[in-house]
């Protein structure tokens, strides 16, 4: 997901304007929602199971803790500059989420885009 984000959005997430001047960071919630868009998975933690989409708030906080210079490198104009930073961001989020949760695939008899993952989640975990 991080590799397909348009350059102008990367700059917003990194707190840079179009001229690469520092501005207030915005839309980290949007980026967090992109990173946890895994409709067919559930996160099993200490409490009750959660849909991966419910982890967006936690991921947003994790993104806020990543140093700004990493985001600035990710917002770099050239792909070869931004790729290592994108990997660093993804690995930081992945490492933290995997230390908190175990991810389990929601199995359903329905296949395709019309799958009701909310219904499958409720049936699987009785919630």
């Amino acid at each position: 997901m991080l590799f397909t984000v348009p350059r102008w959005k990367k700059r917003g997430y990194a707190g840079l304007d179009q001229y690469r001047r520092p501005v207030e960071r915005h839309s980290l919630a949007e980026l967090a929602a992109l990173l946890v868009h895994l409709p067919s998975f559930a996160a099993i933690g200490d409490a009750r199971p959660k849909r991966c989409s419910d982890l967006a708030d936690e991921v947003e906080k994790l993104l806020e803790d990543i140093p700004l210079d990493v985001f600035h490198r990710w917002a770099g104009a050239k792909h070869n500059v931004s790729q290592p930073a994108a990997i660093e961001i993804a690995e930081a989020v992945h490492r933290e989420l995997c230390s908190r949760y175990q991810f389990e695939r929601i199995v359903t008899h329905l296949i395709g885009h019309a799958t009701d993952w909310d219904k499958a989640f409720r049936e699987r975990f009785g919630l």
Side-chain angles (χ1 to χ4, degrees):
M1 283 294 180
L2 292 173
F3 296 111
T4 60
V5 175
R7 186 177 306 139
W8 63 274
K9 282 194 171 193
K10 287 181 188 179
R11 289 184 181 142
Y13 302 143
L16 299 171
D17 70 3
Q18 63 184 358
Y19 302 109
R20 300 186 56 81
R21 295 179 298 210
V23 295
E24 183 180 342
R25 292 171 79 182
H26 64 274
S27 302
L28 281 182
E30 178 184 312
L31 180 59
L34 283 173
L35 290 176
V36 294
H37 183 71
L38 300 167
S40 62
F41 283 87
I44 314 295
D46 294 337
R48 64 187 192 97
K50 298 179 181 181
R51 295 288 312 273
C52 282
S53 56
D54 296 335
L55 300 177
D57 291 337
E58 290 182 51
V59 172
E60 183 179 1
K61 289 176 186 150
L62 292 173
L63 291 172
E64 289 171 356
D65 292 339
I66 294 174
L68 267 178
D69 69 312
V70 176
F71 276 95
H72 290 178
R73 284 187 282 127
W74 178 54
K78 297 179 181 171
H79 180 71
N80 60 350
V81 172
S82 65
Q83 187 174 6
I87 292 170
E88 189 175 341
I89 292 168
E91 285 178 346
V93 170
H94 177 263
R95 186 174 40 254
E96 192 61 36
L97 287 179
C98 286
S99 71
R100 296 179 190 180
Y101 300 102
Q102 177 182 2
F103 293 91
E104 185 175 312
R105 188 168 191 77
I106 301 171
V107 179
T108 180
H109 62 281
L110 303 170
I111 304 290
H113 295 291
T115 302
D116 185 354
W117 291 111
D118 290 324
K119 181 180 177 187
F121 179 80
R122 287 189 305 273
E123 287 176 1
R124 169 68 177 87
F125 296 105
L127 300 173

